[in-house]
């Protein structure tokens, strides 16, 4: 067993330079490779996250602008609708005014024609009444000579 311990001691003594070289190599790796690599990866991650955040901000701004444009479009359409309604109301009012004027004019013409017809009817009545008296006289004169001739 002493021999095994001696062999083990010799083996460990021979492994010391390898262990030291391994420790130096690990330290050099940490300093020369892993440190800059970690810094580069962290910078890349930060840039990527920044780009993602910027993309999200750009998307939010685009959505806000789209909503603003949609709102402006909605307001413009509402304004156009109001203008159309006002034009239609104005046209209807003008049409109603023209119809009222036409109704009044036709009513005035009808009234004037009625007055004229009444006056004409009254003149005709007067002519008939005047002629009726004259006709009555003619009938009486025509009948009286016949009646005077039959009583004689």
């Amino acid at each position: 067993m002493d021999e095994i311990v001696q062999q083990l001691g010799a083996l460990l003594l021979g492994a010391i330079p390898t262990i030291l070289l391994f420790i130096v190599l690990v330290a050099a790796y940490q300093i020369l490779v892993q440190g800059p690599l970690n810094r580069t990866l962290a910078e890349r991650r930060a840039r990527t996250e920044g780009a993602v955040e910027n993309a999200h901000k750009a998307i939010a701004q685009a959505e806000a602008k789209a909503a603003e444009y949609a709102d402006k479009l909605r307001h413009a359409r509402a304004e156009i609708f109001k203008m159309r309604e006002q034009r239609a109301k104005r046209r209807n009012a003008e049409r109603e005014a023209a119809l009222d004027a036409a109704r009044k004019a036709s009513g005035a013409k009808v009234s004037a024609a009625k007055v004229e017809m009444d006056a004409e009817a009254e003149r005709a009545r007067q002519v008939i009444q005047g002629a009726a008296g004259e006709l009555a006289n003619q009938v009486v004169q025509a009948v009286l000579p016949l009646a005077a001739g039959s009583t004689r």
Side-chain angles (χ1 to χ4, degrees):
M1 175 112 126
D2 273 342
E3 193 177 317
I4 294 176
V5 171
Q6 277 183 349
Q7 284 180 351
L8 201 56
L11 189 60
L12 283 177
L13 192 61
I16 287 179
T18 305
I19 291 174
L20 289 177
L21 183 62
F22 179 74
I23 291 174
V24 167
L25 192 62
V26 167
Y29 173 77
Q30 290 287 332
I31 294 170
L32 296 176
V33 176
Q34 191 170 2
L37 182 64
N38 284 339
R39 278 193 305 273
T40 303
L41 288 175
E43 182 181 329
R44 181 178 172 191
R45 186 173 297 116
R47 284 184 184 174
T48 303
E49 288 173 359
V52 168
E53 286 179 19
N54 288 340
H56 286 301
K57 287 178 186 176
I59 289 170
Q61 288 174 349
E63 287 176 351
K65 265 195 173 172
E68 180 183 339
Y69 289 149
D71 191 44
K72 285 182 180 179
L73 183 63
R74 188 171 37 258
H75 287 300
R77 284 182 179 163
E79 189 66 30
I80 289 170
F81 182 73
K82 285 179 186 176
M83 288 173 53
R84 282 183 182 171
E85 259 185 38
Q86 289 173 351
R87 264 190 252 141
K89 285 180 182 179
R90 192 172 351 109
R91 285 184 197 140
N92 286 340
E94 289 172 358
R95 187 179 322 127
E96 287 297 321
L99 285 173
D100 284 343
R103 283 185 191 123
K104 287 177 184 176
S106 64
K109 285 181 182 179
V110 166
S111 295
K114 198 180 251 187
V115 166
E116 188 178 327
M117 283 177 47
D118 288 344
E120 203 173 301
E122 187 60 34
R123 281 192 301 267
R125 277 191 208 104
Q126 288 174 358
V127 168
I128 290 172
Q129 284 179 355
E134 196 177 306
L135 281 174
N137 285 336
Q138 287 177 0
V139 168
V140 168
Q141 286 177 4
V143 171
L144 278 182
L146 294 174
S150 40
T151 52
R152 289 191 202 175

